[in-house]
Coordinates of all heavy atoms in Angstrom, one line a residue:
M24 N -4.7 2.0 4.6 CA -3.5 1.2 4.7 C -3.0 1.4 6.1 O -2.9 2.5 6.6 CB -2.5 1.8 3.7 CG -1.3 1.1 3.6 SD -0.3 1.7 2.2 CE -0.7 3.3 1.9
T25 N -2.7 0.3 6.8 CA -2.3 0.4 8.2 C -0.9 -0.1 8.3 O -0.7 -1.3 8.7 CB -3.3 -0.4 9.0 OG1 -3.3 -1.8 8.5 CG2 -4.7 0.2 9.0
S26 N 0.0 0.7 8.1 CA 1.4 0.3 8.3 C 1.8 0.7 9.7 O 1.4 1.7 10.2 CB 2.3 1.1 7.3 OG 3.7 0.9 7.6
K27 N 2.5 -0.2 10.4 CA 3.0 0.0 11.7 C 4.3 0.7 11.7 O 4.9 0.9 12.8 CB 3.0 -1.3 12.5 CG 1.6 -1.8 12.7 CD 1.7 -3.1 13.5 CE 0.3 -3.7 13.7 NZ 0.2 -4.9 14.4
F28 N 4.8 1.0 10.6 CA 6.1 1.7 10.4 C 6.1 3.0 11.1 O 5.2 3.8 10.9 CB 6.5 1.8 8.9 CG 7.8 2.4 8.7 CD1 9.0 1.7 9.0 CD2 7.9 3.7 8.1 CE1 10.2 2.3 8.7 CE2 9.1 4.2 7.9 CZ 10.3 3.6 8.2
N29 N 7.1 3.3 11.9 CA 7.2 4.5 12.6 C 8.4 5.4 12.1 O 9.5 5.2 12.6 CB 7.4 4.3 14.1 CG 7.4 5.6 14.9 OD1 7.2 6.6 14.4 ND2 7.8 5.4 16.2
L30 N 8.1 6.2 11.1 CA 9.2 7.0 10.5 C 9.7 8.0 11.5 O 10.9 8.5 11.4 CB 8.6 7.7 9.3 CG 9.6 8.5 8.4 CD1 10.7 7.6 8.0 CD2 8.9 9.1 7.2
K31 N 8.9 8.4 12.5 CA 9.3 9.4 13.5 C 10.5 8.9 14.3 O 11.3 9.6 14.9 CB 8.2 9.7 14.5 CG 7.1 10.5 13.8 CD 5.9 10.8 14.7 CE 4.8 11.5 13.9 NZ 3.6 11.6 14.8
A32 N 10.7 7.5 14.4 CA 11.8 6.9 15.1 C 13.2 7.3 14.4 O 14.2 7.2 15.1 CB 11.7 5.4 15.1
F33 N 13.1 7.8 13.2 CA 14.3 8.2 12.5 C 14.6 9.7 12.6 O 15.5 10.2 11.9 CB 14.2 7.8 11.0 CG 14.2 6.3 10.8 CD1 12.9 5.7 10.8 CD2 15.3 5.6 10.6 CE1 12.9 4.3 10.6 CE2 15.3 4.2 10.4 CZ 14.1 3.6 10.4
G34 N 13.9 10.4 13.4 CA 14.0 11.8 13.6 C 13.5 12.6 12.4 O 12.4 12.3 12.0
S35 N 14.3 13.5 11.8 CA 13.9 14.2 10.6 C 14.8 13.9 9.5 O 15.8 14.6 9.2 CB 14.0 15.7 10.9 OG 13.1 16.1 11.9
P36 N 14.5 12.7 8.8 CA 15.4 12.3 7.8 C 15.4 13.3 6.6 O 14.4 13.8 6.2 CB 14.9 10.9 7.4 CG 13.5 10.9 7.9 CD 13.4 11.8 9.0
S37 N 16.6 13.4 5.9 CA 16.7 14.2 4.7 C 16.0 13.5 3.6 O 15.7 12.3 3.7 CB 18.2 14.4 4.4 OG 18.8 13.2 4.0
K38 N 15.9 14.2 2.5 CA 15.3 13.6 1.3 C 16.1 12.4 0.8 O 15.6 11.4 0.5 CB 15.3 14.7 0.1 CG 14.7 14.1 -1.1 CD 14.6 15.2 -2.2 CE 13.9 14.7 -3.4 NZ 13.6 15.7 -4.4
E39 N 17.4 12.5 0.9 CA 18.3 11.4 0.5 C 18.1 10.2 1.4 O 18.1 9.0 1.0 CB 19.8 11.8 0.5 CG 20.1 12.8 -0.6 CD 19.7 14.3 -0.3 OE1 19.5 14.6 0.9 OE2 19.6 15.0 -1.2
D40 N 17.9 10.5 2.7 CA 17.7 9.4 3.7 C 16.3 8.7 3.4 O 16.2 7.5 3.5 CB 17.7 9.9 5.1 CG 19.1 10.4 5.6 OD1 20.1 9.9 5.0 OD2 19.1 11.2 6.6
L41 N 15.3 9.5 3.1 CA 14.0 8.9 2.8 C 14.1 8.0 1.5 O 13.5 6.9 1.5 CB 13.0 10.0 2.6 CG 12.6 10.8 3.8 CD1 11.8 12.0 3.4 CD2 11.9 9.9 4.8
V42 N 14.8 8.4 0.5 CA 15.0 7.6 -0.7 C 15.7 6.3 -0.3 O 15.3 5.2 -0.8 CB 15.7 8.4 -1.8 CG1 16.1 7.5 -3.0 CG2 14.9 9.6 -2.3
M43 N 16.7 6.4 0.5 CA 17.5 5.2 0.9 C 16.6 4.3 1.7 O 16.6 3.1 1.5 CB 18.7 5.7 1.7 CG 19.7 4.5 2.1 SD 19.3 3.6 3.6 CE 19.2 4.9 4.8
L44 N 15.8 4.9 2.6 CA 14.9 4.0 3.4 C 13.8 3.3 2.5 O 13.5 2.2 2.7 CB 14.1 4.9 4.4 CG 14.9 5.2 5.7 CD1 14.1 6.2 6.5 CD2 15.2 3.9 6.5
A45 N 13.4 4.1 1.5 CA 12.4 3.5 0.5 C 13.1 2.3 -0.2 O 12.4 1.3 -0.4 CB 11.9 4.5 -0.5
R46 N 14.3 2.5 -0.6 CA 15.0 1.4 -1.3 C 15.2 0.2 -0.4 O 15.0 -1.0 -0.8 CB 16.4 1.8 -1.8 CG 16.4 2.6 -3.0 CD 17.8 2.8 -3.6 NE 18.0 4.1 -4.0 CZ 18.8 5.0 -3.5 NH1 19.7 4.7 -2.6 NH2 18.9 6.2 -4.0
V47 N 15.5 0.4 0.9 CA 15.7 -0.7 1.9 C 14.3 -1.4 2.1 O 14.2 -2.6 2.1 CB 16.2 -0.2 3.2 CG1 16.2 -1.2 4.3 CG2 17.7 0.3 3.0
A48 N 13.2 -0.6 2.2 CA 11.9 -1.2 2.4 C 11.5 -2.0 1.1 O 11.0 -3.1 1.3 CB 10.9 -0.1 2.6
E49 N 11.9 -1.6 -0.1 CA 11.7 -2.3 -1.3 C 12.4 -3.7 -1.2 O 11.8 -4.7 -1.5 CB 12.1 -1.5 -2.5 CG 11.8 -2.3 -3.8 CD 12.3 -1.6 -5.0 OE1 13.1 -0.6 -4.9 OE2 11.9 -2.0 -6.1
S50 N 13.7 -3.6 -0.8 CA 14.5 -4.8 -0.8 C 13.9 -5.8 0.2 O 14.0 -7.0 0.0 CB 15.9 -4.5 -0.3 OG 16.5 -3.7 -1.3
A51 N 13.3 -5.3 1.3 CA 12.7 -6.1 2.3 C 11.3 -6.5 2.0 O 10.6 -7.2 2.8 CB 12.8 -5.4 3.7
E52 N 10.8 -6.0 0.9 CA 9.4 -6.3 0.4 C 8.4 -5.7 1.5 O 7.4 -6.3 1.7 CB 9.2 -7.7 0.1 CG 10.0 -8.2 -1.1 CD 9.7 -9.7 -1.5 OE1 8.7 -10.2 -1.0 OE2 10.5 -10.2 -2.2
R53 N 8.7 -4.6 2.0 CA 7.8 -3.9 3.0 C 7.2 -2.7 2.2 O 7.5 -1.6 2.5 CB 8.6 -3.4 4.2 CG 9.4 -4.5 4.9 CD 8.6 -5.2 6.0 NE 8.1 -4.1 6.9 CZ 7.4 -4.4 8.0 NH1 7.2 -5.6 8.3 NH2 7.0 -3.4 8.7
Y54 N 6.3 -3.1 1.4 CA 5.7 -2.1 0.4 C 4.8 -1.0 1.1 O 4.8 0.1 0.7 CB 5.0 -2.8 -0.7 CG 5.9 -3.6 -1.5 CD1 5.8 -5.0 -1.4 CD2 7.0 -3.1 -2.3 CE1 6.7 -5.8 -2.1 CE2 7.8 -3.9 -2.9 CZ 7.7 -5.3 -2.9 OH 8.6 -6.0 -3.6
E55 N 4.1 -1.4 2.2 CA 3.3 -0.5 2.9 C 4.2 0.6 3.6 O 3.9 1.8 3.6 CB 2.4 -1.2 3.9 CG 1.3 -1.9 3.2 CD 0.2 -2.5 4.1 OE1 0.2 -2.1 5.3 OE2 -0.5 -3.3 3.6
D56 N 5.3 0.1 4.2 CA 6.3 1.0 4.8 C 6.9 1.9 3.7 O 7.0 3.1 3.9 CB 7.5 0.2 5.4 CG 7.0 -0.6 6.6 OD1 5.9 -0.5 7.1 OD2 7.8 -1.5 7.0
M57 N 7.1 1.4 2.6 CA 7.7 2.1 1.4 C 6.7 3.3 1.0 O 7.1 4.4 0.8 CB 7.9 1.2 0.3 CG 8.8 1.6 -0.8 SD 9.0 0.3 -2.0 CE 9.8 1.2 -3.3
C58 N 5.4 2.9 1.0 CA 4.4 4.0 0.7 C 4.4 5.1 1.7 O 4.4 6.3 1.4 CB 3.0 3.4 0.7 SG 2.7 2.3 -0.8
E59 N 4.5 4.7 3.0 CA 4.6 5.8 4.1 C 5.8 6.7 3.9 O 5.7 7.9 4.1 CB 4.5 5.1 5.5 CG 3.2 4.4 5.8 CD 2.1 5.4 5.8 OE1 2.2 6.5 6.3 OE2 1.0 5.0 5.2
I60 N 6.9 6.1 3.6 CA 8.2 6.8 3.5 C 8.0 7.8 2.3 O 8.4 8.9 2.4 CB 9.4 5.9 3.3 CG1 9.6 5.0 4.5 CG2 10.6 6.6 2.8 CD1 10.5 3.8 4.3
L61 N 7.5 7.3 1.2 CA 7.4 8.1 0.0 C 6.3 9.2 0.1 O 6.5 10.3 -0.4 CB 7.1 7.2 -1.2 CG 8.4 6.4 -1.6 CD1 8.0 5.3 -2.6 CD2 9.5 7.2 -2.1
K62 N 5.3 8.9 0.9 CA 4.3 10.0 1.2 C 4.9 11.1 1.9 O 4.7 12.3 1.6 CB 3.1 9.4 2.0 CG 2.1 8.6 1.2 CD 1.0 8.1 2.2 CE 0.1 7.1 1.6 NZ -0.9 6.7 2.5
T63 N 5.8 10.8 2.9 CA 6.5 11.8 3.6 C 7.4 12.6 2.7 O 7.5 13.8 2.7 CB 7.4 11.2 4.7 OG1 6.5 10.5 5.6 CG2 8.1 12.2 5.5
L64 N 8.1 11.9 1.8 CA 9.0 12.6 0.8 C 8.2 13.5 -0.1 O 8.6 14.7 -0.3 CB 9.7 11.5 -0.1 CG 10.6 12.0 -1.2 CD1 11.9 12.3 -0.6 CD2 10.7 11.0 -2.3
I65 N 7.0 13.1 -0.5 CA 6.2 13.9 -1.4 C 5.6 15.1 -0.7 O 5.5 16.2 -1.2 CB 5.1 13.1 -2.0 CG1 5.7 12.1 -3.0 CG2 4.0 13.9 -2.7 CD1 4.8 11.0 -3.4
R66 N 5.2 15.0 0.6 CA 4.7 16.1 1.4 C 5.8 17.2 1.5 O 5.5 18.4 1.5 CB 4.3 15.6 2.8 CG 2.9 15.0 2.8 CD 2.5 14.8 4.2 NE 1.6 13.6 4.2 CZ 2.0 12.4 4.7 NH1 3.1 12.2 5.2 NH2 1.1 11.4 4.6
E67 N 7.0 16.8 1.7 CA 8.1 17.7 1.8 C 8.5 18.4 0.5 O 8.9 19.5 0.5 CB 9.4 17.0 2.4 CG 9.1 16.6 3.9 CD 10.3 15.8 4.4 OE1 11.4 15.7 3.8 OE2 10.1 15.3 5.6
N68 N 8.5 17.6 -0.6 CA 8.8 18.1 -1.9 C 8.1 17.3 -3.0 O 8.6 16.2 -3.3 CB 10.4 18.1 -2.1 CG 10.8 18.7 -3.4 OD1 10.0 19.3 -4.1 ND2 12.1 18.6 -3.7
P69 N 7.1 17.9 -3.5 CA 6.3 17.1 -4.5 C 7.0 16.9 -5.9 O 6.5 16.1 -6.7 CB 5.0 18.0 -4.7 CG 5.2 19.2 -4.0 CD 6.4 19.1 -3.2
E70 N 8.1 17.6 -6.1 CA 8.9 17.4 -7.3 C 9.7 16.1 -7.2 O 10.6 16.1 -6.4 CB 9.8 18.6 -7.6 CG 9.0 19.9 -7.9 CD 8.2 19.8 -9.2 OE1 8.7 19.2 -10.2 OE2 7.1 20.3 -9.2
L71 N 9.4 15.1 -7.9 CA 10.1 13.8 -7.8 C 11.0 13.6 -9.0 O 10.7 13.9 -10.1 CB 9.1 12.7 -7.7 CG 8.1 12.7 -6.6 CD1 7.2 11.5 -6.7 CD2 8.8 12.7 -5.2
S72 N 12.2 12.9 -8.7 CA 13.1 12.5 -9.7 C 12.5 11.2 -10.4 O 11.5 10.7 -9.9 CB 14.5 12.2 -9.1 OG 14.4 11.0 -8.3
V73 N 13.1 10.8 -11.4 CA 12.7 9.6 -12.1 C 12.8 8.4 -11.1 O 11.8 7.6 -11.0 CB 13.5 9.3 -13.4 CG1 13.2 7.9 -14.0 CG2 13.3 10.4 -14.4
E74 N 13.9 8.3 -10.4 CA 14.0 7.2 -9.4 C 12.9 7.2 -8.4 O 12.4 6.2 -8.0 CB 15.4 7.2 -8.8 CG 15.6 6.2 -7.7 CD 16.8 6.3 -6.9 OE1 17.4 7.4 -6.9 OE2 17.1 5.3 -6.2
E75 N 12.6 8.4 -7.9 CA 11.6 8.5 -6.8 C 10.2 8.2 -7.4 O 9.5 7.5 -6.7 CB 11.6 10.0 -6.3 CG 12.9 10.3 -5.5 CD 13.1 11.8 -5.4 OE1 12.4 12.6 -5.9 OE2 14.1 12.1 -4.6
R76 N 9.9 8.6 -8.6 CA 8.7 8.2 -9.2 C 8.6 6.7 -9.4 O 7.5 6.0 -9.2 CB 8.5 8.9 -10.6 CG 8.0 10.3 -10.4 CD 7.5 10.9 -11.8 NE 8.4 10.6 -12.9 CZ 9.4 11.4 -13.3 NH1 9.6 12.6 -12.6 NH2 10.1 11.2 -14.4
N77 N 9.7 6.1 -9.8 CA 9.7 4.6 -10.0 C 9.5 3.9 -8.6 O 8.8 2.9 -8.6 CB 11.0 4.2 -10.6 CG 11.1 4.5 -12.1 OD1 10.1 4.7 -12.7 ND2 12.3 4.6 -12.6
L78 N 10.1 4.4 -7.6 CA 9.9 3.8 -6.2 C 8.5 3.9 -5.8 O 7.9 2.9 -5.3 CB 10.8 4.5 -5.2 CG 12.3 4.2 -5.3 CD1 13.1 5.1 -4.4 CD2 12.6 2.7 -4.9
L79 N 7.9 5.1 -6.1 CA 6.5 5.3 -5.7 C 5.6 4.3 -6.5 O 4.7 3.7 -5.9 CB 6.1 6.7 -6.0 CG 4.7 7.1 -5.7 CD1 4.4 7.1 -4.2 CD2 4.4 8.5 -6.2
S80 N 5.9 4.1 -7.8 CA 5.1 3.2 -8.6 C 5.2 1.8 -8.1 O 4.2 1.1 -8.0 CB 5.6 3.3 -10.0 OG 5.0 2.3 -10.9
V81 N 6.4 1.3 -7.8 CA 6.6 0.0 -7.3 C 5.9 -0.2 -5.9 O 5.2 -1.2 -5.7 CB 8.1 -0.3 -7.1 CG1 8.4 -1.6 -6.2 CG2 8.8 -0.4 -8.4
A82 N 6.0 0.8 -5.1 CA 5.3 0.6 -3.7 C 3.8 0.5 -3.9 O 3.2 -0.4 -3.4 CB 5.6 1.9 -2.9
F83 N 3.2 1.4 -4.6 CA 1.7 1.4 -4.7 C 1.2 0.2 -5.6 O 0.2 -0.4 -5.3 CB 1.2 2.7 -5.2 CG 1.0 3.7 -4.1 CD1 2.1 4.6 -3.8 CD2 -0.1 3.7 -3.3 CE1 2.0 5.5 -2.8 CE2 -0.2 4.6 -2.3 CZ 0.8 5.5 -2.0
K84 N 2.0 -0.1 -6.6 CA 1.6 -1.3 -7.4 C 1.6 -2.6 -6.6 O 0.6 -3.3 -6.7 CB 2.6 -1.5 -8.5 CG 2.4 -2.7 -9.4 CD 3.4 -2.8 -10.5 CE 3.2 -4.2 -11.2 NZ 4.4 -4.5 -12.1
N85 N 2.5 -2.8 -5.7 CA 2.5 -4.0 -4.9 C 1.5 -3.9 -3.8 O 0.8 -4.9 -3.5 CB 3.9 -4.2 -4.2 CG 4.9 -4.8 -5.3 OD1 4.8 -5.9 -5.6 ND2 5.7 -3.9 -5.8
V86 N 1.3 -2.8 -3.2 CA 0.2 -2.6 -2.1 C -1.1 -2.8 -2.7 O -2.0 -3.6 -2.2 CB 0.4 -1.3 -1.4 CG1 -0.8 -1.0 -0.5 CG2 1.7 -1.3 -0.6
V87 N -1.4 -2.2 -3.8 CA -2.7 -2.3 -4.4 C -2.9 -3.7 -5.1 O -4.0 -4.3 -5.0 CB -2.9 -1.1 -5.4 CG1 -4.2 -1.4 -6.3 CG2 -3.0 0.2 -4.7
G88 N -1.8 -4.2 -5.7 CA -1.9 -5.4 -6.5 C -2.4 -6.6 -5.6 O -3.2 -7.4 -6.1
S89 N -1.9 -6.7 -4.4 CA -2.3 -7.8 -3.6 C -3.7 -7.7 -3.2 O -4.5 -8.7 -3.1 CB -1.4 -7.9 -2.3 OG -1.5 -6.8 -1.5
R90 N -4.2 -6.5 -2.9 CA -5.6 -6.4 -2.6 C -6.5 -6.6 -3.8 O -7.6 -7.1 -3.6 CB -5.8 -5.0 -1.9 CG -5.3 -5.0 -0.5 CD -5.2 -3.6 0.0 NE -4.7 -3.6 1.4 CZ -3.4 -3.6 1.7 NH1 -2.5 -3.7 0.8 NH2 -3.1 -3.6 3.0
R91 N -6.1 -6.1 -4.9 CA -6.9 -6.4 -6.1 C -7.0 -7.9 -6.4 O -8.1 -8.4 -6.8 CB -6.3 -5.7 -7.4 CG -6.4 -4.2 -7.4 CD -5.8 -3.6 -8.6 NE -6.5 -4.1 -9.8 CZ -5.9 -4.3 -11.0 NH1 -4.6 -4.0 -11.1 NH2 -6.5 -4.7 -12.0
T92 N -5.9 -8.6 -6.2 CA -6.0 -10.1 -6.4 C -6.9 -10.7 -5.4 O -7.7 -11.6 -5.8 CB -4.6 -10.7 -6.2 OG1 -3.7 -10.1 -7.2 CG2 -4.6 -12.2 -6.3
S93 N -6.9 -10.2 -4.1 CA -7.9 -10.7 -3.1 C -9.3 -10.4 -3.6 O -10.2 -11.3 -3.5 CB -7.6 -10.1 -1.8 OG -6.3 -10.4 -1.3
W94 N -9.5 -9.2 -4.0 CA -10.9 -8.8 -4.4 C -11.4 -9.7 -5.6 O -12.5 -10.1 -5.6 CB -10.9 -7.3 -4.8 CG -12.2 -6.8 -5.1 CD1 -13.1 -6.3 -4.3 CD2 -12.7 -6.7 -6.4 NE1 -14.2 -5.9 -4.9 CE2 -14.0 -6.1 -6.3 CE3 -12.3 -6.9 -7.7 CZ2 -14.8 -5.8 -7.4 CZ3 -13.1 -6.7 -8.8 CH2 -14.4 -6.1 -8.6
R95 N -10.5 -9.9 -6.6 CA -10.9 -10.7 -7.7 C -11.2 -12.1 -7.3 O -12.1 -12.8 -7.8 CB -9.8 -10.7 -8.8 CG -9.8 -9.4 -9.6 CD -9.0 -9.6 -10.9 NE -7.6 -9.9 -10.6 CZ -6.6 -9.1 -10.5 NH1 -6.8 -7.8 -10.6 NH2 -5.4 -9.5 -10.2
T96 N -10.4 -12.7 -6.4 CA -10.6 -14.1 -5.9 C -12.0 -14.2 -5.2 O -12.7 -15.1 -5.5 CB -9.5 -14.5 -5.0 OG1 -8.2 -14.4 -5.6 CG2 -9.7 -15.9 -4.4
I97 N -12.3 -13.2 -4.4 CA -13.5 -13.3 -3.7 C -14.7 -13.1 -4.6 O -15.7 -13.8 -4.5 CB -13.6 -12.2 -2.5 CG1 -12.6 -12.7 -1.4 CG2 -15.0 -12.0 -2.0 CD1 -12.5 -11.6 -0.3
N98 N -14.5 -12.3 -5.6 CA -15.6 -12.0 -6.6 C -15.8 -13.2 -7.5 O -16.9 -13.4 -8.0 CB -15.4 -10.8 -7.4 CG -15.9 -9.6 -6.7 OD1 -16.7 -9.6 -5.8 ND2 -15.3 -8.4 -7.0
S99 N -14.8 -14.0 -7.7 CA -14.9 -15.2 -8.6 C -15.4 -16.4 -7.9 O -15.8 -17.4 -8.6 CB -13.5 -15.5 -9.3 OG -12.6 -16.0 -8.3
E100 N -15.4 -16.4 -6.6 CA -15.9 -17.5 -5.8 C -17.4 -17.6 -6.0 O -18.1 -16.6 -6.2 CB -15.6 -17.3 -4.3 CG -14.2 -17.3 -4.0 CD -13.6 -18.7 -4.0 OE1 -14.3 -19.7 -3.7 OE2 -12.4 -18.8 -4.4
T101 N -17.9 -18.9 -6.1 CA -19.3 -19.1 -6.1 C -19.9 -18.6 -4.8 O -19.5 -19.1 -3.8 CB -19.7 -20.6 -6.4 OG1 -19.0 -21.0 -7.6 CG2 -21.1 -20.8 -6.5
A102 N -20.9 -17.7 -4.9 CA -21.4 -17.2 -3.6 C -22.3 -18.2 -3.0 O -23.2 -18.8 -3.5 CB -22.3 -16.0 -4.0
P103 N -21.9 -18.6 -1.7 CA -22.7 -19.5 -1.0 C -24.0 -18.9 -0.5 O -24.3 -17.7 -0.7 CB -21.9 -19.9 0.2 CG -20.9 -18.7 0.4 CD -20.8 -18.1 -1.0
D104 N -24.9 -19.6 0.1 CA -26.2 -19.1 0.5 C -26.1 -18.7 2.0 O -25.2 -19.1 2.7 CB -27.3 -20.2 0.4 CG -27.5 -20.6 -1.1 OD1 -27.4 -19.7 -1.9 OD2 -27.8 -21.8 -1.3
G105 N -27.1 -17.9 2.4 CA -27.3 -17.5 3.8 C -26.1 -16.7 4.4 O -25.6 -15.8 3.8
D106 N -25.8 -17.2 5.6 CA -24.8 -16.4 6.4 C -23.4 -16.3 5.7 O -22.7 -15.4 5.8 CB -24.6 -17.1 7.8 CG -25.8 -16.9 8.6 OD1 -26.6 -16.0 8.3 OD2 -26.0 -17.7 9.6
E107 N -23.0 -17.4 5.0 CA -21.7 -17.4 4.3 C -21.7 -16.3 3.2 O -20.7 -15.7 3.1 CB -21.5 -18.8 3.7 CG -21.2 -19.9 4.7 CD -21.0 -21.2 4.1 OE1 -20.9 -21.3 2.9 OE2 -20.9 -22.2 4.9
K108 N -22.8 -16.1 2.6 CA -22.8 -15.1 1.5 C -22.7 -13.7 2.2 O -21.9 -12.9 1.7 CB -24.1 -15.2 0.8 CG -24.2 -14.2 -0.4 CD -25.5 -14.4 -1.2 CE -25.6 -13.4 -2.3 NZ -26.8 -13.6 -3.1
E109 N -23.3 -13.5 3.3 CA -23.2 -12.2 4.0 C -21.8 -12.0 4.5 O -21.2 -10.9 4.3 CB -24.2 -12.2 5.2 CG -24.2 -10.9 5.9 CD -25.2 -10.9 7.0 OE1 -26.2 -11.6 7.0 OE2 -24.9 -10.1 8.0
L110 N -21.1 -13.0 5.0 CA -19.7 -12.9 5.4 C -18.8 -12.6 4.3 O -17.9 -11.7 4.4 CB -19.3 -14.2 6.1 CG -19.8 -14.4 7.5 CD1 -19.4 -15.8 8.0 CD2 -19.3 -13.4 8.5
M111 N -19.0 -13.3 3.1 CA -18.2 -13.0 1.9 C -18.4 -11.5 1.5 O -17.4 -10.8 1.1 CB -18.5 -13.9 0.8 CG -17.8 -15.2 0.8 SD -18.2 -16.3 -0.6 CE -17.3 -15.4 -1.9
N112 N -19.6 -11.0 1.5 CA -19.9 -9.7 1.1 C -19.2 -8.7 2.0 O -18.7 -7.7 1.6 CB -21.4 -9.4 1.0 CG -22.0 -10.0 -0.2 OD1 -21.4 -10.2 -1.2 ND2 -23.3 -10.3 -0.1
K113 N -19.3 -9.0 3.3 CA -18.6 -8.1 4.3 C -17.1 -8.1 4.1 O -16.5 -7.0 4.2 CB -18.9 -8.5 5.7 CG -20.3 -8.2 6.2 CD -20.5 -8.6 7.6 CE -21.9 -8.2 8.1 NZ -22.2 -8.7 9.5
Y114 N -16.5 -9.2 3.8 CA -15.1 -9.3 3.6 C -14.7 -8.6 2.3 O -13.7 -7.9 2.3 CB -14.7 -10.8 3.5 CG -13.2 -11.0 3.7 CD1 -12.4 -10.3 4.6 CD2 -12.5 -11.9 2.8 CE1 -11.1 -10.5 4.7 CE2 -11.2 -12.2 3.0 CZ -10.5 -11.5 3.9 OH -9.1 -11.7 4.0
R115 N -15.5 -8.7 1.3 CA -15.2 -8.0 0.0 C -15.3 -6.5 0.3 O -14.4 -5.8 -0.2 CB -16.2 -8.4 -1.0 CG -16.0 -7.7 -2.4 CD -16.9 -8.2 -3.5 NE -18.3 -8.4 -3.1 CZ -19.2 -7.4 -2.9 NH1 -18.9 -6.2 -3.1 NH2 -20.5 -7.7 -2.6
K116 N -16.3 -6.1 1.0 CA -16.4 -4.6 1.3 C -15.2 -4.1 2.1 O -14.7 -3.0 2.0 CB -17.7 -4.3 2.0 CG -18.9 -4.5 1.1 CD -20.1 -3.9 1.7 CE -21.3 -4.1 0.8 NZ -21.2 -3.5 -0.5
E117 N -14.7 -5.0 3.0 CA -13.5 -4.6 3.8 C -12.3 -4.4 2.9 O -11.5 -3.4 3.0 CB -13.1 -5.7 4.8 CG -11.9 -5.5 5.6 CD -12.1 -4.4 6.7 OE1 -13.3 -4.2 7.1 OE2 -11.1 -3.8 7.1
I118 N -12.1 -5.3 1.9 CA -11.0 -5.1 0.9 C -11.2 -3.9 0.1 O -10.3 -3.1 -0.2 CB -10.9 -6.4 0.1 CG1 -10.5 -7.6 0.9 CG2 -9.9 -6.2 -1.1 CD1 -10.6 -8.9 0.2
E119 N -12.5 -3.7 -0.3 CA -12.8 -2.5 -1.1 C -12.5 -1.2 -0.3 O -12.0 -0.2 -0.9 CB -14.2 -2.5 -1.6 CG -14.5 -3.5 -2.6 CD -16.0 -3.7 -2.9 OE1 -16.8 -3.1 -2.2 OE2 -16.3 -4.4 -3.9
G120 N -12.8 -1.2 1.0 CA -12.4 -0.1 1.8 C -10.9 0.2 1.9 O -10.5 1.3 1.9
E121 N -10.2 -0.9 2.0 CA -8.7 -0.7 2.0 C -8.2 -0.1 0.7 O -7.3 0.7 0.7 CB -8.0 -2.1 2.2 CG -8.2 -2.6 3.6 CD -7.6 -4.0 3.8 OE1 -6.8 -4.5 2.9 OE2 -7.8 -4.6 4.8
L122 N -8.8 -0.6 -0.4 CA -8.4 0.0 -1.7 C -8.7 1.4 -1.8 O -8.0 2.3 -2.3 CB -9.0 -0.8 -2.9 CG -8.4 -2.2 -3.1 CD1 -9.3 -3.0 -4.0 CD2 -7.1 -2.0 -3.8
D123 N -9.9 1.8 -1.3 CA -10.3 3.2 -1.3 C -9.3 4.1 -0.4 O -9.0 5.2 -0.9 CB -11.7 3.4 -0.7 CG -12.8 3.0 -1.7 OD1 -12.5 2.9 -2.9 OD2 -14.0 2.7 -1.2
D124 N -8.9 3.5 0.7 CA -8.0 4.3 1.6 C -6.6 4.5 0.9 O -6.0 5.5 1.0 CB -7.8 3.5 2.9 CG -9.0 3.5 3.8 OD1 -9.9 4.3 3.6 OD2 -9.0 2.7 4.7
I125 N -6.2 3.5 0.2 CA -4.9 3.5 -0.5 C -5.0 4.5 -1.7 O -4.1 5.3 -1.9 CB -4.4 2.1 -1.0 CG1 -4.2 1.2 0.2 CG2 -3.2 2.2 -1.9 CD1 -4.1 -0.2 -0.2
C126 N -6.0 4.4 -2.5 CA -6.1 5.2 -3.7 C -6.7 6.5 -3.4 O -6.5 7.4 -4.1 CB -6.9 4.4 -4.7 SG -6.1 2.8 -5.2

């Protein structure tokens, strides 16, 4: 997952600040940023509240969901012949690599 979000720009945010940033990222539909924020929260304190677990679930569900949809679409396409087939296979493997990195 390649988020360009720079959490360091916020200094050393407290747990409450991280939760607030995660909510803002959710509102803005910036789910990859949300994942980065929540990973930081979990590294600092792995004990999550119900709200924090729900935020984590929403973030990863959306990040993974779009890639799963892409993967299913590519797999359902009729595989062309020759170079096009090779390109489709490479693209599918790229998506699979992203899913591996996330999960």
